Amino acid sequence: MITANRSDIGRIRLANEDRSWVGTTRSGLTLAIVADGMGGHQAGDVASQLAVEAFRDAMEDIKVDLTADEAKMLIRQAILQANEVVFDMASRNEQYHNMGTTIVTALFLQGSSTVIGHIGDSRAYRVSGGQITQLTEDHTLVNELLRSGQISASEAVNHPRRNVLTRALGTDQQVDVDVQVIKWNDEDTLLLCSDGLSGMVGDDQMLETLLAPDLSLEEKAERLIQLALQAGGDDNITVVLLQAGMEREGVKDSL
């Protein structure tokens, strides 16, 4: 698997509360994570880092020959374990009260399956057959209003409460996790990102960049970061790209 991992503080924020990691488990399966923290007094930094570390620890010793159902269960359990770690830290420390984070993860199984798990509005996209598809459903107030028909898609883009999450990791003792299995082709590209990218760069621009034949995977990740900065860079921006390949490319760990 070839990978690229990039993150930028953006043009507005004073700290980067995004955390990401891509690498392999001890059994050799490729695993990727993006978390976008929230909370005052740098609590967002703490939440996202705790979530990534707890998730990685929970997934480190998984076996290589997992079935899709086993992998779904393990992804869900690992995210719930991360939720417990973040919630416990927030409960025991007043300065971290109400901190939380989004999380989106991908685990590549042997064969042609990939398991995607997420909470919040960090997203997973797949580029396949010249098209880009959003794989995850945002856990946001605006998305709930859009799905119920109370606002239009154009209204959703500039809605004043578009960043309000309806579900996050670490803010509650119990949380629901969305987990799905997708079929994977060797020609596909997977994009995991924080909303600093998806909130600033449209699907058409993402697709054009990810299909650019003259760019390496690292260069595509960097171009996506630059597009978000050119659009205003209102938030931290994190991009993880994964493609089939023999050698690993890019920065593995942004912790």
Side-chain angles (χ1 to χ4, degrees), residues 11-192:
R11 300 192 185 280
I12 307 296
R13 300 297 179 91
L14 299 178
N16 192 342
E17 297 183 325
D18 289 358
R19 294 292 184 273
S20 57
W21 181 86
V22 58
T24 57
T25 65
R26 286 198 178 97
S27 59
L29 296 178
T30 298
L31 182 68
I33 316 160
V34 170
D36 179 358
M38 58 188 185
H41 306 292
Q42 297 188 322
D45 302 26
V46 175
S48 57
Q49 182 159 338
L50 283 174
V52 169
E53 291 175 348
F55 181 84
R56 284 175 56 188
D57 289 346
M59 297 294 292
E60 187 63 40
D61 293 319
I62 61 174
K63 61 183 182 179
V64 69
D65 55 344
L66 289 169
T67 67
D69 285 342
E70 288 173 336
K72 285 176 66 176
M73 180 185 66
L74 288 172
I75 288 284
R76 180 174 283 107
Q77 289 176 344
I79 294 176
L80 290 175
Q81 183 170 320
N83 184 76
E84 183 178 338
V85 169
V86 176
F87 180 80
D88 180 65
M89 177 69 77
S91 300
R92 291 188 290 105
N93 297 271
E94 185 176 349
Q95 69 268 34
Y96 298 146
H97 182 62
N98 282 335
M99 75 175 177
T101 183
T102 69
I103 190 168
V104 60
T105 71
L107 174 66
F108 289 78
L109 303 178
Q110 288 186 319
S112 59
S113 295
T114 301
V115 184
I116 307 292
H118 91 288
I119 300 173
D121 62 354
S122 291
R123 294 179 177 178
Y125 293 87
R126 175 174 55 187
V127 173
S128 182
Q131 297 183 325
I132 188 168
T133 303
Q134 182 181 334
L135 301 173
T136 52
E137 185 87 20
D138 291 349
H139 301 141
T140 61
L141 175 61
V142 163
N143 194 46
E144 292 293 331
L145 295 174
L146 183 62
R147 292 177 61 191
S148 64
Q150 296 181 59
I151 62 173
S152 66
S154 59
E155 290 172 326
V157 173
N158 297 309
H159 196 282
R161 303 188 70 189
R162 62 186 179 276
N163 295 322
V164 176
L165 297 177
T166 56
R167 204 188 306 177
L169 186 150
T171 56
D172 296 287
Q173 193 166 15
Q174 303 294 329
V175 67
D176 292 329
V177 183
D178 287 358
V179 185
Q180 61 180 302
V181 178
I182 64 168
K183 292 300 180 182
W184 184 256
N185 299 313
D186 285 346
E187 299 79 16
D188 294 350
T189 300
L190 185 71
L191 162 65
L192 305 183

